[in-house]
Amino acid sequence: VQLVESGGGSVRPGESLRLSCRTVGTAASIYNMAWYHQVPGEERELVARISPERELLYGESVKGRFTISRDNDKNTVFLQMNNLRPEDTGTYFCNAKVAFWDYWGQGIQVTVFS
């Protein structure tokens, strides 16, 4: 099972990015899918999570700016990031979890610079 992330990059404050995470080797539909954010020296923090039933959970710092969604036909979860801030800079990791199955992507860099 692999999680393939794409869509990162460098943007200015206020701009947008859309991250994608595609599952390979398994159907995404059965998993809780999530995005985590990490900066050097700190633990990964939950950004957003979407359940198989599309129940949503967001970290406080991204509420109203980020939107998580999923397309099970494409085995893909998306993170639409609007109004990006310098503190959003870091590595974003995709996570797929159900029962004792817990998979992580390799991480993708997002840089927000003035």
Side-chain angles (χ1 to χ4, degrees):
V1 174
Q2 286 184 296
L3 303 185
V4 180
E5 298 146 332
S6 61
S10 297
V11 297
R12 296 190 180 277
E15 294 184 341
S16 298
L17 283 173
R18 189 192 196 203
L19 304 183
S20 299
C21 172
R22 181 171 59 88
T23 65
V24 179
T26 188
S29 60
I30 65 171
Y31 292 90
N32 290 293
M33 301 295 296
W35 289 95
Y36 285 76
H37 172 241
Q38 188 172 30
V39 296
E42 297 185 11
E43 294 185 355
R44 292 180 189 181
E45 292 185 338
L46 177 69
V47 175
R49 183 168 64 221
I50 184 168
S51 74
E53 297 79 21
R54 290 183 166 78
E55 295 171 331
L56 306 177
L57 178 67
Y58 291 98
E60 283 298 321
S61 65
V62 306
K63 285 182 179 178
R65 300 189 298 124
F66 291 11
T67 302
I68 190 169
S69 61
R70 66 193 302 159
D71 184 338
N72 290 333
D73 290 339
K74 296 180 179 179
N75 289 318
T76 301
V77 63
F78 304 98
L79 184 68
Q80 179 66 44
M81 304 188 293
N82 296 332
N83 192 20
L84 282 159
R85 303 168 179 169
E87 54 265 37
D88 297 319
T89 294
T91 305
Y92 285 75
F93 293 89
C94 180
N95 174 252
K97 186 173 183 178
V98 65
F100 51 82
W101 289 284
D102 190 1
Y103 303 110
W104 291 90
Q106 78 282 0
I108 191 164
Q109 181 67 30
V110 170
T111 303
V112 185
F113 62 98
S114 297

